[in-house]
CSV table of all heavy atoms in Angstrom, one decimal:
chain,number,residue,atom,x,y,z
M,553,ALA,N,-2.6,-4.7,3.2
M,553,ALA,CA,-2.1,-3.4,3.2
M,553,ALA,C,-3.2,-2.4,3.3
M,553,ALA,O,-4.4,-2.7,3.1
M,553,ALA,CB,-1.3,-3.1,1.9
M,554,GLY,N,-2.9,-1.2,3.7
M,554,GLY,CA,-4.0,-0.2,3.9
M,554,GLY,C,-4.5,-0.1,5.3
M,554,GLY,O,-4.0,-0.7,6.2
M,555,ASP,N,-5.5,0.8,5.4
M,555,ASP,CA,-6.1,1.0,6.7
M,555,ASP,C,-7.6,0.6,6.7
M,555,ASP,O,-8.5,1.4,6.5
M,555,ASP,CB,-6.0,2.5,7.0
M,555,ASP,CG,-6.6,2.9,8.4
M,555,ASP,OD1,-6.9,2.0,9.2
M,555,ASP,OD2,-6.8,4.1,8.6
M,556,GLN,N,-7.8,-0.7,6.8
M,556,GLN,CA,-9.1,-1.3,6.7
M,556,GLN,C,-10.0,-0.9,7.8
M,556,GLN,O,-11.3,-0.8,7.6
M,556,GLN,CB,-9.0,-2.8,6.6
M,556,GLN,CG,-8.0,-3.4,5.6
M,556,GLN,CD,-8.3,-3.0,4.2
M,556,GLN,OE1,-9.4,-3.0,3.8
M,556,GLN,NE2,-7.2,-2.7,3.4
M,557,ASN,N,-9.5,-0.6,9.0
M,557,ASN,CA,-10.4,-0.2,10.1
M,557,ASN,C,-10.5,1.3,10.2
M,557,ASN,O,-11.1,1.8,11.2
M,557,ASN,CB,-9.9,-0.9,11.4
M,557,ASN,CG,-8.5,-0.5,11.7
M,557,ASN,OD1,-7.9,0.4,11.1
M,557,ASN,ND2,-7.9,-1.2,12.7
M,558,HIS,N,-9.9,2.0,9.3
M,558,HIS,CA,-10.0,3.5,9.2
M,558,HIS,C,-9.7,4.2,10.5
M,558,HIS,O,-10.5,5.1,10.9
M,558,HIS,CB,-11.4,3.8,8.7
M,558,HIS,CG,-11.8,3.1,7.5
M,558,HIS,ND1,-11.3,3.4,6.2
M,558,HIS,CD2,-12.7,2.1,7.3
M,558,HIS,CE1,-11.9,2.6,5.3
M,558,HIS,NE2,-12.7,1.8,5.9
M,559,ASN,N,-8.6,3.8,11.1
M,559,ASN,CA,-8.3,4.5,12.4
M,559,ASN,C,-7.1,5.5,12.2
M,559,ASN,O,-6.5,6.0,13.2
M,559,ASN,CB,-8.0,3.5,13.5
M,559,ASN,CG,-6.8,2.7,13.2
M,559,ASN,OD1,-6.2,2.7,12.2
M,559,ASN,ND2,-6.4,1.8,14.2
M,560,GLY,N,-6.6,5.6,10.9
M,560,GLY,CA,-5.5,6.6,10.7
M,560,GLY,C,-4.2,5.9,10.7
M,560,GLY,O,-3.2,6.6,10.3
M,561,THR,N,-4.0,4.7,11.0
M,561,THR,CA,-2.8,3.9,11.0
M,561,THR,C,-2.9,2.7,10.1
M,561,THR,O,-3.9,2.0,10.2
M,561,THR,CB,-2.4,3.5,12.5
M,561,THR,OG1,-2.3,4.6,13.3
M,561,THR,CG2,-1.0,2.8,12.5
M,562,SER,N,-1.9,2.5,9.3
M,562,SER,CA,-2.0,1.3,8.4
M,562,SER,C,-2.1,0.0,9.3
M,562,SER,O,-1.5,-0.1,10.4
M,562,SER,CB,-0.7,1.2,7.5
M,562,SER,OG,0.4,0.9,8.2
M,563,ASP,N,-2.8,-0.9,8.8
M,563,ASP,CA,-3.1,-2.1,9.6
M,563,ASP,C,-1.8,-2.9,9.9
M,563,ASP,O,-1.7,-3.5,10.9
M,563,ASP,CB,-4.1,-3.0,8.9
M,563,ASP,CG,-5.5,-2.5,8.8
M,563,ASP,OD1,-5.7,-1.4,9.5
M,563,ASP,OD2,-6.3,-3.0,8.2
M,564,ARG,N,-0.9,-2.9,8.9
M,564,ARG,CA,0.4,-3.6,9.1
M,564,ARG,C,1.3,-3.0,10.2
M,564,ARG,O,1.9,-3.7,11.0
M,564,ARG,CB,1.1,-3.8,7.8
M,564,ARG,CG,0.4,-4.8,6.9
M,564,ARG,CD,1.1,-4.9,5.5
M,564,ARG,NE,0.5,-5.9,4.7
M,564,ARG,CZ,0.8,-6.2,3.5
M,564,ARG,NH1,1.8,-5.5,2.9
M,564,ARG,NH2,0.1,-7.1,2.8
M,565,LEU,N,1.3,-1.7,10.2
M,565,LEU,CA,2.0,-1.0,11.3
M,565,LEU,C,1.3,-1.2,12.6
M,565,LEU,O,2.0,-1.4,13.6
M,565,LEU,CB,2.1,0.5,11.0
M,565,LEU,CG,2.9,1.3,12.0
M,565,LEU,CD1,4.3,0.8,12.3
M,565,LEU,CD2,2.9,2.8,11.6
M,566,GLU,N,0.0,-1.2,12.6
M,566,GLU,CA,-0.8,-1.4,13.8
M,566,GLU,C,-0.5,-2.8,14.3
M,566,GLU,O,-0.4,-3.1,15.5
M,566,GLU,CB,-2.2,-1.2,13.5
M,566,GLU,CG,-3.1,-1.2,14.7
M,566,GLU,CD,-4.6,-0.8,14.4
M,566,GLU,OE1,-4.8,-0.4,13.3
M,566,GLU,OE2,-5.4,-1.0,15.3
M,567,TYR,N,-0.4,-3.8,13.4
M,567,TYR,CA,-0.1,-5.2,13.8
M,567,TYR,C,1.3,-5.2,14.5
M,567,TYR,O,1.4,-5.9,15.5
M,567,TYR,CB,0.0,-6.1,12.5
M,567,TYR,CG,0.2,-7.5,12.8
M,567,TYR,CD1,-0.9,-8.4,12.9
M,567,TYR,CD2,1.5,-8.1,12.9
M,567,TYR,CE1,-0.7,-9.7,13.2
M,567,TYR,CE2,1.7,-9.4,13.1
M,567,TYR,CZ,0.6,-10.3,13.3
M,567,TYR,OH,0.7,-11.6,13.5
M,568,VAL,N,2.3,-4.5,14.0
M,568,VAL,CA,3.6,-4.4,14.7
M,568,VAL,C,3.4,-3.8,16.1
M,568,VAL,O,3.9,-4.3,17.1
M,568,VAL,CB,4.6,-3.6,13.9
M,568,VAL,CG1,5.9,-3.4,14.7
M,568,VAL,CG2,4.9,-4.3,12.6
M,569,HIS,N,2.6,-2.8,16.2
M,569,HIS,CA,2.3,-2.1,17.5
M,569,HIS,C,1.6,-3.0,18.5
M,569,HIS,O,1.6,-2.7,19.7
M,569,HIS,CB,1.6,-0.8,17.2
M,569,HIS,CG,2.4,0.2,16.6
M,569,HIS,ND1,1.9,1.4,16.1
M,569,HIS,CD2,3.8,0.3,16.3
M,569,HIS,CE1,2.9,2.2,15.6
M,569,HIS,NE2,4.0,1.5,15.7
M,570,CYS,N,0.9,-4.0,18.0
M,570,CYS,CA,0.2,-4.9,18.9
M,570,CYS,C,1.2,-5.7,19.8
M,570,CYS,O,0.7,-6.2,20.9
M,570,CYS,CB,-0.6,-5.9,18.1
M,570,CYS,SG,-2.1,-5.3,17.4
M,571,GLY,N,2.4,-5.7,19.4
M,571,GLY,CA,3.4,-6.5,20.3
M,571,GLY,C,3.0,-7.9,20.3
M,571,GLY,O,2.8,-8.6,19.3
M,572,ALA,N,2.9,-8.5,21.5
M,572,ALA,CA,2.6,-9.9,21.7
M,572,ALA,C,1.1,-10.1,22.0
M,572,ALA,O,0.7,-11.2,22.5
M,572,ALA,CB,3.5,-10.4,22.9
M,573,ASP,N,0.3,-9.1,21.8
M,573,ASP,CA,-1.2,-9.2,22.0
M,573,ASP,C,-1.8,-9.9,20.9
M,573,ASP,O,-2.1,-9.3,19.8
M,573,ASP,CB,-1.7,-7.8,22.2
M,573,ASP,CG,-3.2,-7.8,22.6
M,573,ASP,OD1,-3.9,-8.8,22.5
M,573,ASP,OD2,-3.7,-6.8,23.2
M,574,ALA,N,-2.0,-11.2,21.0
M,574,ALA,CA,-2.6,-12.1,20.0
M,574,ALA,C,-4.0,-11.6,19.6
M,574,ALA,O,-4.3,-11.7,18.4
M,574,ALA,CB,-2.6,-13.5,20.4
M,575,ALA,N,-4.8,-11.2,20.5
M,575,ALA,CA,-6.2,-10.8,20.2
M,575,ALA,C,-6.1,-9.5,19.3
M,575,ALA,O,-6.9,-9.4,18.3
M,575,ALA,CB,-7.0,-10.5,21.4
M,576,CYS,N,-5.2,-8.6,19.6
M,576,CYS,CA,-5.1,-7.4,18.9
M,576,CYS,C,-4.6,-7.7,17.4
M,576,CYS,O,-5.1,-7.1,16.5
M,576,CYS,CB,-4.0,-6.5,19.6
M,576,CYS,SG,-3.5,-5.0,18.6
M,577,GLN,N,-3.7,-8.6,17.3
M,577,GLN,CA,-3.2,-9.0,16.0
M,577,GLN,C,-4.3,-9.8,15.2
M,577,GLN,O,-4.4,-9.5,14.0
M,577,GLN,CB,-2.0,-9.9,16.2
M,577,GLN,CG,-0.8,-9.1,16.7
M,577,GLN,CD,0.4,-10.1,17.1
M,577,GLN,OE1,0.2,-11.2,17.5
M,577,GLN,NE2,1.6,-9.6,16.9
M,578,ALA,N,-5.0,-10.7,15.8
M,578,ALA,CA,-6.0,-11.4,15.1
M,578,ALA,C,-7.1,-10.5,14.6
M,578,ALA,O,-7.6,-10.8,13.5
M,578,ALA,CB,-6.7,-12.4,16.1
M,579,ALA,N,-7.4,-9.4,15.3
M,579,ALA,CA,-8.4,-8.5,14.8
M,579,ALA,C,-8.1,-7.8,13.5
M,579,ALA,O,-9.0,-7.3,12.8
M,579,ALA,CB,-8.7,-7.5,15.9
M,580,LEU,N,-6.8,-7.8,13.2
M,580,LEU,CA,-6.3,-7.1,11.9
M,580,LEU,C,-6.3,-8.1,10.8
M,580,LEU,O,-6.0,-7.7,9.6
M,580,LEU,CB,-5.0,-6.5,12.2
M,580,LEU,CG,-5.0,-5.4,13.2
M,580,LEU,CD1,-3.5,-5.0,13.7
M,580,LEU,CD2,-5.7,-4.1,12.7
M,581,ARG,N,-6.4,-9.4,11.0
M,581,ARG,CA,-6.4,-10.4,9.9
M,581,ARG,C,-7.8,-10.5,9.3
M,581,ARG,O,-8.8,-10.4,10.0
M,581,ARG,CB,-5.9,-11.7,10.5
M,581,ARG,CG,-4.4,-11.7,10.9
M,581,ARG,CD,-4.0,-13.1,11.3
M,581,ARG,NE,-2.7,-13.3,11.7
M,581,ARG,CZ,-1.7,-13.7,10.9
M,581,ARG,NH1,-1.9,-13.9,9.7
M,581,ARG,NH2,-0.4,-13.8,11.4
M,582,PRO,N,-7.8,-10.9,8.0
M,582,PRO,CA,-9.1,-11.0,7.3
M,582,PRO,C,-10.0,-12.1,7.9
M,582,PRO,O,-11.2,-12.1,7.8
M,582,PRO,CB,-8.8,-11.2,5.9
M,582,PRO,CG,-7.3,-11.6,5.9
M,582,PRO,CD,-6.7,-11.0,7.1
M,583,PHE,N,-9.3,-13.2,8.4
M,583,PHE,CA,-10.0,-14.3,9.0
M,583,PHE,C,-9.6,-14.4,10.5
M,583,PHE,O,-9.2,-15.5,10.9
M,583,PHE,CB,-9.7,-15.6,8.2
M,583,PHE,CG,-10.1,-15.5,6.8
M,583,PHE,CD1,-9.1,-15.4,5.8
M,583,PHE,CD2,-11.4,-15.5,6.4
M,583,PHE,CE1,-9.4,-15.3,4.5
M,583,PHE,CE2,-11.7,-15.4,5.0
M,583,PHE,CZ,-10.7,-15.3,4.1
M,584,GLY,N,-9.7,-13.3,11.2
M,584,GLY,CA,-9.3,-13.3,12.6
M,584,GLY,C,-10.1,-14.1,13.5
M,584,GLY,O,-9.7,-14.4,14.6
M,585,VAL,N,-11.2,-14.6,13.0
M,585,VAL,CA,-12.1,-15.5,13.8
M,585,VAL,C,-11.3,-16.8,14.1
M,585,VAL,O,-11.6,-17.5,15.1
M,585,VAL,CB,-13.4,-15.8,13.1
M,585,VAL,CG1,-13.2,-16.6,11.8
M,585,VAL,CG2,-14.4,-16.5,14.0
M,586,PHE,N,-10.3,-17.1,13.3
M,586,PHE,CA,-9.5,-18.3,13.5
M,586,PHE,C,-8.3,-18.0,14.4
M,586,PHE,O,-7.4,-18.8,14.5
M,586,PHE,CB,-9.1,-19.0,12.2
M,586,PHE,CG,-10.2,-19.4,11.4
M,586,PHE,CD1,-10.6,-18.8,10.2
M,586,PHE,CD2,-11.0,-20.6,11.8
M,586,PHE,CE1,-11.7,-19.3,9.5
M,586,PHE,CE2,-12.0,-21.0,11.0
M,586,PHE,CZ,-12.4,-20.4,9.9
M,587,GLY,N,-8.2,-16.8,14.9
M,587,GLY,CA,-7.1,-16.4,15.7
M,587,GLY,C,-5.9,-15.8,14.9
M,587,GLY,O,-6.0,-15.6,13.7
M,588,ASN,N,-4.9,-15.5,15.6
M,588,ASN,CA,-3.7,-14.9,15.0
M,588,ASN,C,-2.8,-16.0,14.4
M,588,ASN,O,-1.7,-16.3,14.8
M,588,ASN,CB,-2.9,-14.1,16.0
M,588,ASN,CG,-1.6,-13.4,15.4
M,588,ASN,OD1,-1.7,-12.9,14.3
M,588,ASN,ND2,-0.5,-13.4,16.2
M,589,ASN,N,-3.3,-16.6,13.3
M,589,ASN,CA,-2.7,-17.8,12.7
M,589,ASN,C,-2.6,-17.6,11.2
M,589,ASN,O,-3.5,-16.9,10.6
M,589,ASN,CB,-3.5,-19.1,13.0
M,589,ASN,CG,-3.5,-19.4,14.5
M,589,ASN,OD1,-2.5,-19.4,15.2
M,589,ASN,ND2,-4.7,-19.5,15.0
M,590,THR,N,-1.6,-18.2,10.6
M,590,THR,CA,-1.5,-18.3,9.1
M,590,THR,C,-2.5,-19.3,8.6
M,590,THR,O,-2.7,-20.4,9.3
M,590,THR,CB,-0.1,-18.6,8.7
M,590,THR,OG1,0.3,-19.9,9.2
M,590,THR,CG2,0.9,-17.5,9.2
M,591,ILE,N,-3.0,-19.1,7.4
M,591,ILE,CA,-3.9,-20.1,6.7
M,591,ILE,C,-3.2,-20.3,5.4
M,591,ILE,O,-3.2,-19.5,4.5
M,591,ILE,CB,-5.3,-19.6,6.6
M,591,ILE,CG1,-5.9,-19.3,7.9
M,591,ILE,CG2,-6.1,-20.6,5.8
M,591,ILE,CD1,-7.3,-18.7,7.8
M,592,ASN,N,-2.6,-21.5,5.2
M,592,ASN,CA,-1.9,-21.8,4.0
M,592,ASN,C,-2.8,-22.1,2.9
M,592,ASN,O,-3.8,-22.8,3.0
M,592,ASN,CB,-1.0,-23.0,4.3
M,592,ASN,CG,0.0,-23.2,3.2
M,592,ASN,OD1,0.2,-22.4,2.3
M,592,ASN,ND2,0.6,-24.4,3.2
M,593,PHE,N,-2.5,-21.5,1.7
M,593,PHE,CA,-3.4,-21.6,0.6
M,593,PHE,C,-2.5,-21.8,-0.7
M,593,PHE,O,-1.5,-21.2,-0.8
M,593,PHE,CB,-4.3,-20.4,0.4
M,593,PHE,CG,-5.4,-20.6,-0.6
M,593,PHE,CD1,-6.6,-21.2,-0.2
M,593,PHE,CD2,-5.3,-20.1,-1.9
M,593,PHE,CE1,-7.6,-21.4,-1.2
M,593,PHE,CE2,-6.3,-20.2,-2.8
M,593,PHE,CZ,-7.5,-20.9,-2.4
């Protein structure tokens, strides 16, 4: 939650706005280096 990249839009709303752009979505995840994937913990 929040605006970690400080662009004025919450990251989760920005994630929705990414649409099907996996690279855009991965960039918003804390471990985006592993891609737009879930990491089960």
Side-chain angles (χ1 to χ4, degrees):
D555 181 13
Q556 309 299 320
N557 56 12
H558 307 290
N559 65 355
T561 302
S562 72
D563 290 353
R564 289 178 176 176
L565 179 57
E566 192 173 348
Y567 185 92
V568 174
H569 289 172
C570 285
D573 187 341
C576 172
Q577 293 172 325
L580 297 166
R581 290 181 180 267
F583 304 103
V585 65
F586 297 108
N588 182 38
N589 299 304
T590 60
I591 300 178
N592 192 14
F593 192 80

